[in-house]
Amino acid sequence: HMGVMTTDYLRLLDTEKIVFSLDSTPRGAGPRLAYFMNFGGPVVTAETLCSSSLVAFHFAAGDMRSGRTSLSVTGGLSVILGSFVTDFYAKVGSLSSNGRCKTFDARGDGLARGEGVLTAVLESLESMRARGRGAESAMAVVMGSDVNHGGRSAGLAAPNGPAHQALIRQAQRNAGVLPGSVSHVELHGTGTALGDPIEANALARVFADSATGSVSVSSIKTNIGHTEAAAGIAGLLKVVLQFSRRSLVPSLHYHQPNELIPIGEIALRVQERLSSWDG
């Protein structure tokens, strides 16, 4: 299961001479990988903009829970091969002025593009036990996930606060996790003036009445930029690595909170320094 988004490679091809090619469309990424690696089972290429790799991950996890497969490779890829997307972001005012994603910060003025090819290998606990290995040998156990859409909002790329809340609550129900037991959350957090406050305030409302203490938040985009189709799996792998090492790494470029994100007044705090993860 792979997440894809942009069409940079297709734009490099002489499309006037190409009627159709499996290599010329992003939708062929999943089947092409399965062909190259000689994989069987369900193959899905998700193309849902910046959520692509997380949607692919959700489908892969669902296939495993349903028993359709016991092992799955899932991920996302984003490689910048031209200026088309960058020019578009610049035209609509979405690019950071200094090439940094300043997530949660008052100076947050846009995203910085990044590249990434990231994959995760999922295996069912039943399969692991059959091989004589327990859950303790895994880097992390996925308890649950969910996907939704916010319908019409301020714009196609604008988050929908109530839909965010509904998604988080449903994912927690699917996982059997109470909000009060959550100590850290990796946000999408692109560093834009519009998206960050909507996302952070939606999360805060979910935890406001049930969290026993503040929940730390961070965004890997402050470290590697916005990797678009690979952004979701990048954030997930960051959480897995932190969990396996019982450490939380800093979310960078944060100095003064965005006034639309009342950090300190709500149950969220930005992860500003390296610390142990005891939650």
Side-chain angles (χ1 to χ4, degrees), residues 93-96 101-105 108-111 157 159 188-198 226 258 261:
S94 296
L95 284 180
S96 167
C101 289
K102 301 178 284 292
T103 308
F104 315 119
D105 193 87
D109 57 357
L111 59 88
H188 185 54
T190 57
T192 58
L194 172 65
D196 286 2
I198 295 176
H226 187 0
N258 184 323
I261 307 175

Side-chain angles (χ1 to χ4, degrees), residues 134-176:
E136 67 279 357
S137 62
M139 295 183 70
V141 176
V142 179
M143 303 298 293
S145 62
D146 201 32
V147 169
N148 78 353
H149 194 281
R152 185 170 296 172
S153 62
L156 178 61
N160 181 310
H164 263 49
Q165 295 179 53
L167 178 63
I168 296 168
R169 291 192 171 100
Q170 185 58 54
Q172 289 175 335
R173 286 192 290 269
N174 294 346

Side-chain angles (χ1 to χ4, degrees), residues 66-272:
S66 68
R68 295 181 67 191
T69 182
S70 60
L71 188 71
S72 179
V73 176
T74 183
L77 60 99
S78 180
V79 180
I80 301 172
L81 301 175
S83 63
F84 173 78
V85 177
T86 303
D87 292 342
F88 169 78
Y89 282 147
K91 184 178 297 184
V92 299
S94 296
L95 284 180
S96 167
S97 59
N98 67 346
R100 299 288 185 272
C101 289
K102 301 178 284 292
T103 308
F104 315 119
D105 193 87
R107 300 166 303 142
D109 57 357
L111 59 88
R113 299 190 71 198
E115 297 179 298
V117 180
L118 303 106
T119 57
V121 177
L122 306 179
E123 185 176 7
S124 67
L125 291 176
E126 291 77 8
S127 174
M128 293 180 67
R129 293 187 184 109
R131 295 191 300 109
R133 305 184 66 184
E136 67 279 357
S137 62
M139 295 183 70
V141 176
V142 179
M143 303 298 293
S145 62
D146 201 32
V147 169
N148 78 353
H149 194 281
R152 185 170 296 172
S153 62
L156 178 61
N160 181 310
H164 263 49
Q165 295 179 53
L167 178 63
I168 296 168
R169 291 192 171 100
Q170 185 58 54
Q172 289 175 335
R173 286 192 290 269
N174 294 346
V177 172
L178 297 175
S181 65
V182 176
S183 58
H184 179 74
V185 177
E186 173 75 13
L187 274 69
H188 185 54
T190 57
T192 58
L194 172 65
D196 286 2
I198 295 176
E199 186 180 9
N201 280 287
L203 183 66
R205 288 189 176 92
V206 172
F207 290 107
D209 299 327
S210 54
T212 55
S214 61
V215 176
S216 68
V217 294
S218 64
S219 171
I220 195 174
K221 293 173 185 63
T222 65
N223 304 94
I224 64 174
H226 187 0
T227 52
E228 297 162 0
I233 198 71
L236 186 145
L237 292 177
K238 174 191 171 185
V239 171
V240 169
L241 289 171
Q242 289 180 125
F243 181 75
S244 65
R245 290 166 172 75
R246 296 295 190 270
S247 298
L248 292 171
V249 299
S251 195
L252 306 180
H253 317 306
Y254 176 76
H255 301 287
Q256 181 179 350
N258 184 323
E259 63 179 12
L260 298 178
I261 307 175
I263 299 293
E265 301 175 24
I266 56 179
L268 304 182
R269 58 180 174 82
V270 178
Q271 185 65 35
E272 297 185 67

